[in-house]
Amino acid sequence: MPNRGEMFNAAERLHGWLLRRHYQRGVLAGPDAGVRFNLRAWRFLKSGLDFIPWRDDFVFMQTQGYWVLANWMLHEATGEAHYRDLAIESTKATLRLQQPEGFWFYPLPERRHLIATVEGDWGAIGLLAIQAREPRLEFLAGALRWYDYLVNRIGFQDHAPGKAINYFQRPRGKVPNNSVEAAWLFLRLWKATGEERFLEHVPGLVEFVAATQLASGELPYIVAGQYESGREHYLCFQYNAFQFLKLAWAARLKPEAGAILAPLAKFLAGGVTPSGASAADCSHHAPEVDYYTAVLGAALDEAARLGLVAGCELSDRCYARLLERQRADGSFAYSTGDYGFLRDGRSYPRPMAMTLFHLLCPTCGCGFSIPVDS
């Protein structure tokens, strides 16, 4: 099993790859697995012909947010100034890309007409990360502009009990993952400002998520509503691992968010395959996607800290598998075993920025110094 030093070294190597290959003027830009036809098929051809300049580089705010947090974590762990400089330069770039109304454009052309809650939340999280270190009003103002747009323009759907945040500015089904991230962001805004208004929607969001939790402990992907049919399972362990982490961090600020955690941890423990990889979903082990394994390892490590799983054996297995899969240059392929025999080896900055963050969690304490208590 890897020790913390080996994991930190793996994170530094991955950081170096992202810096060399994808970083320019404050942003991580590069290709993405995408959605629809590209996700299902086209990306495999691009991967096999990666020497062709496909001109499909994108900048996601989700990438920016994880990258900013990881650089602050590395700076605090090492004291090296260049990580701080990268965090600040990337925060400035995130603010520069924000539109005057407060939102960020969705980068993929298929969804360019949509404003995504998750993109705005991660843009704001990146802007907020500096507040406890070197507070700057312009960054806080950018996060507040997103909050106003999110609440007033994207809005909520009622649920009995509670409420769900909308996925886009055009409503679709009620997606618990978005409501978990919104609750976490609102608590971060409350922590940064001390203003009680940011707590207004948190109880309703938490009530919705708790009410929709399945008997297995899993949180469903989509809850049926007037705009879309329900869908219980989709990338079950990946989505639920992300939600577990945000709920655990939220519970440090508002303990009522923690009631969901124990059954959710039990569900996640069933997602570790014999190799140590995360299962793709509730019914299939393949394909193997490394950023799923990274977030599952981080969630199970956090669950062990909270006493919700017995020890770190499961998280250690995930991290051991992850380190086995890291390439010599520090990067990770995207997926293997797709449709039984295909693989996608292209360098995608968004999942690798997430992997970087989750590699640092056991060493740097991602739930303490960066997302919550700062």
Side-chain angles (χ1 to χ4, degrees):
M1 296 300 172
N3 59 45
R4 296 302 187 244
E6 290 170 329
M7 290 167 58
F8 193 80
N9 177 261
E12 288 186 307
R13 291 172 54 225
L14 176 55
H15 182 277
W17 169 261
L18 288 167
L19 196 60
R20 294 189 306 273
R21 178 67 177 266
H22 294 291
Y23 189 77
Q24 49 184 308
R25 297 187 300 279
V27 299
L28 284 180
D32 193 80
V35 296
R36 299 178 183 168
F37 181 70
N38 194 78
L39 179 64
R40 291 191 294 270
W42 184 233
R43 64 187 174 96
F44 300 110
L45 178 62
K46 291 180 177 179
S47 176
L49 301 174
D50 199 23
F51 56 88
I52 293 176
W54 290 106
R55 304 186 188 281
D56 59 350
D57 285 357
F58 306 106
V59 177
F60 283 86
M61 290 306 104
Q62 192 176 40
T63 311
Q64 290 292 107
Y66 276 107
W67 174 247
V68 167
L69 294 184
N71 276 287
W72 281 120
M73 294 163 81
L74 285 162
H75 170 62
E76 292 172 353
T78 65
E80 294 182 16
H82 77 101
Y83 291 124
R84 168 193 171 274
D85 294 343
L86 287 168
I88 293 174
E89 184 179 45
S90 299
T91 306
K92 290 178 179 178
T94 299
L95 184 64
R96 188 169 64 244
L97 291 168
Q98 188 179 32
Q99 300 305 300
E101 299 90 337
F103 65 85
W104 286 266
F105 285 114
Y106 199 87
L108 297 180
E110 303 96 323
R111 292 181 173 175
R112 186 71 175 177
H113 60 295
L114 297 170
I115 309 301
T117 295
V118 69
E119 279 290 280
D121 287 351
W122 274 101
I125 286 295
L127 296 177
L128 286 172
I130 197 173
Q131 289 307 307
R133 297 165 178 84
E134 303 172 32
R136 301 192 186 186
L137 290 178
E138 67 270 26
F139 296 143
L140 179 59
L144 298 181
R145 282 195 299 274
W146 167 249
Y147 175 83
D148 290 338
Y149 185 92
L150 178 61
V151 170
N152 298 320
R153 298 287 297 277
I154 292 182
F156 305 86
Q157 293 182 53
D158 289 332
H159 189 81
K163 63 174 74 174
I165 196 81
N166 278 318
Y167 197 100
F168 298 118
Q169 87 280 24
R170 298 181 183 179
R172 55 167 289 190
K174 306 170 189 178
V175 179
N177 183 61
N178 286 66
S179 293
V180 168
E181 292 206 334
W184 175 50
L185 171 63
F186 296 165
L187 287 168
R188 291 292 297 117
L189 285 163
W190 170 63
K191 180 72 172 179
T193 65
E195 296 182 26
E196 295 291 313
R197 68 187 178 105
F198 296 114
L199 299 178
E200 176 186 357
H201 303 290
V202 173
L205 293 171
V206 173
E207 287 175 5
F208 160 67
V209 174
T212 59
Q213 189 169 32
L214 305 177
S216 64
E218 179 186 0
L219 299 175
Y221 177 57
I222 301 174
V223 176
Q226 67 181 100
Y227 300 103
E228 191 173 3
S229 301
R231 182 177 182 180
E232 286 192 350
H233 309 296
Y234 178 63
L235 306 181
C236 319
F237 300 106
Q238 179 253 78
Y239 269 103
N240 278 266
F242 280 112
Q243 290 172 100
F244 180 91
L245 285 171
K246 274 86 172 192
L247 287 166
W249 301 334
R252 292 195 175 92
L253 295 174
K254 285 295 179 182
E256 55 266 32
I260 304 165
L261 292 175
L264 183 51
K266 183 178 179 181
F267 170 75
L268 291 175
V272 182
T273 66
S275 71
S278 171
D281 57 39
C282 295
S283 304
H284 306 91
H285 284 186
E288 184 171 350
V289 182
D290 292 326
Y291 90 91
Y292 299 2
T293 303
V295 68
L296 183 59
L300 291 169
D301 181 76
E302 184 72 11
R305 292 175 189 264
L306 296 172
L308 301 178
V309 297
C312 294
E313 191 248 339
L314 288 173
S315 61
D316 284 348
R317 284 172 53 197
C318 290
Y319 282 120
R321 180 61 174 175
L322 195 63
L323 266 58
E324 285 177 11
R325 304 257 297 175
Q326 189 172 26
R327 297 190 285 205
D329 57 18
S331 68
F332 287 87
Y334 181 72
S335 63
T336 57
D338 299 88
Y339 305 110
F341 65 96
L342 293 177
R343 67 185 304 274
D344 182 355
R346 294 187 83 195
S347 182
Y348 295 142
R350 181 163 61 135
M352 282 195 286
M354 297 179 195
T355 299
L356 171 63
F357 176 83
H358 294 120
L359 270 171
L360 289 167
C361 283
T363 303
C364 300
C366 63
F368 297 90
S369 63
I370 297 294
V372 175
D373 292 340
S374 58

